[in-house]
């Protein structure tokens, strides 16, 4: 007799020892399939897709994958390395280092930070003497650095980015706390400053130095791709904070003029009032369009949500618009603020 057949389904044996390889699309159709899997799976970075959905979101992911492929990055590495700022793809700080190393044209790349460096220490690091002679203040001698060398040509370059450079670019942030408004209670309070330039200033200086160094030394590899920090400057997100007057000057600024009174009847003796000379020098009638433009321009320079709240508090738009008799425009002012918060959330992957 035949032996009884085992009714249990036999599972295939588990295979071991295989190599790990990335799936690389070979056609536009395969690229689209991979991008669709990323979007449907919920793995698409918000910095790439924002509020897009459907084919628009898939297209954004596909383009990021193609941009990464041009730099030698596998699809999923490209999605982790790219962000979109001002409509242009840009690499994160470590992403630009990754691309240079993967090209196999880099003999070595090293970064670091020096505080109050002496001439001897800088010479040992490789900083040119002519550049050292230009550094006078302690802020100029405290810097992040990046040193790199090409393996094919032997060309070597070092770049530094100092605290003084960061201050000139309006990047440096020493505030331990920033003002933030509770949306429920509308109350303002001091909260810890989460700006990367406050929390990780040494690393930020080193990454800025790396961006400048590698973009020049490996221009053929990077093909014009910038790092995220330079992309934000190009998009006007850094270096524009000074558009809004500092808090102390805002407090000292004269109260906006009250809306003009309706004209009096011809019989009223108003000709002697002559309100124009009584206005303080430099003031004029309230211009609604200009005021809203100023808010939008100032908010464009906000680097994070805390900056948005601080600028909004400086302008005090609801109170000013109510005083000027433009209550119907308060909602429009809030829309400007909300739009900028949404942009920052998209750019920062929030």
């Amino acid at each position: 007799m035949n032996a009884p057949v085992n009714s249990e389904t036999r599972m295939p044996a588990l295979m071991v020892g295989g190599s790990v390889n990335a799936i690389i699309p070979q056609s536009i159709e395969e690229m689209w399939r991979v991008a669709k899997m990323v979007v449907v799976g919920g793995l698409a970075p918000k910095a790439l897709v924002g509020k897009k959905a459907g084919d628009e979101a898939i297209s954004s992911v596909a383009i990021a994958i193609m941009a990464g492929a041009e730099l030698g990055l596998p699809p999923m590495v490209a999605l982790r390395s790219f962000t979109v700022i001002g409509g242009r793809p840009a690499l994160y700080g470590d992403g630009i280092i990754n691309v240079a190393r993967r090209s196999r044209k880099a003999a070595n790349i090293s970064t670091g930070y020096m505080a109050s460096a002496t001439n001897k220490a800088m010479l040992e690091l490789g900083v040119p003497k002519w550049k050292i002679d230009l550094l006078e203040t302690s802020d100029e001698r405290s810097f992040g650095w990046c040193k790199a060398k090409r393996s094919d040509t032997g060309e070597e370059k070092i770049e530094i980015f100092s605290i003084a450079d960061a201050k000139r670019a309006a990047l440096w942030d020493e505030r331990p706390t920033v003002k933030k408004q509770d949306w429920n209670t509308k109350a303002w309070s001091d909260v810890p400053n989460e700006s990367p330039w406050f929390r990780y200033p040494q690393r930020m200086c080193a990454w800025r130095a790396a961006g400048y160094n590698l973009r020049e030394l490996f221009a053929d590899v990077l093909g014009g791709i910038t790092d995220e920090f330079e992309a934000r400057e190009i998009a006007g997100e850094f270096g524009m904070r000074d558009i809004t007057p500092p808090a102390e000057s805002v407090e000292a600024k004269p109260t906006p003029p009250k809306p003009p009174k309706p004209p009096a009847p011809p019989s009223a003796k108003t000709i002697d009032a002559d309100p124009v000379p009584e206005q303080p020098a430099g003031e004029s009638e309230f211009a609604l369009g200009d005021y809203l433009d100023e808010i939008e321009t100032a908010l464009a320079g906000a680097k994070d949500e805390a900056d948005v709240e601080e600028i909004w508090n400086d302008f005090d738009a609801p109170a000013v618009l109510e005083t000027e008799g433009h209550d119907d425009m308060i909602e429009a002012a809030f829309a400007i603020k909300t739009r900028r918060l949404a942009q920052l959330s998209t750019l920062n992957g929030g």
Side-chain angles (χ1 to χ4, degrees), residues 66-141:
M66 288 190 289
E70 293 178 353
L71 301 178
L73 298 177
M76 301 310 293
V77 175
L79 294 181
R80 293 192 295 269
S81 301
F82 273 101
T83 183
V84 175
I85 299 170
R88 298 179 57 181
L91 288 167
Y92 289 114
D94 53 351
I96 200 168
I97 297 175
N98 181 26
V99 170
R101 282 180 171 158
R102 292 177 69 95
S103 71
R104 298 186 179 181
K105 292 184 178 181
N108 59 71
I109 300 174
S110 54
T111 62
Y113 181 85
M114 278 192 172
S116 302
T118 62
N119 287 5
K120 180 180 178 181
M122 286 187 282
L123 285 172
E124 291 176 350
L125 181 63
V127 179
K129 187 177 184 304
W130 67 266
K131 185 175 291 188
I132 297 175
D133 293 338
L134 298 176
L135 307 180
E136 299 177 353
T137 67
S138 59
D139 281 353
E140 292 173 325
R141 290 175 172 268

Side-chain angles (χ1 to χ4, degrees), residues 180-202:
K180 190 171 183 179
Q181 187 180 32
D182 187 300
W183 291 103
N184 296 320
T185 64
K186 302 300 180 182
W188 289 86
S189 59
D190 291 327
V191 298
N193 188 352
E194 297 182 354
S195 165
W197 279 99
F198 173 74
R199 299 176 67 182
Y200 318 110
Q202 293 85 2

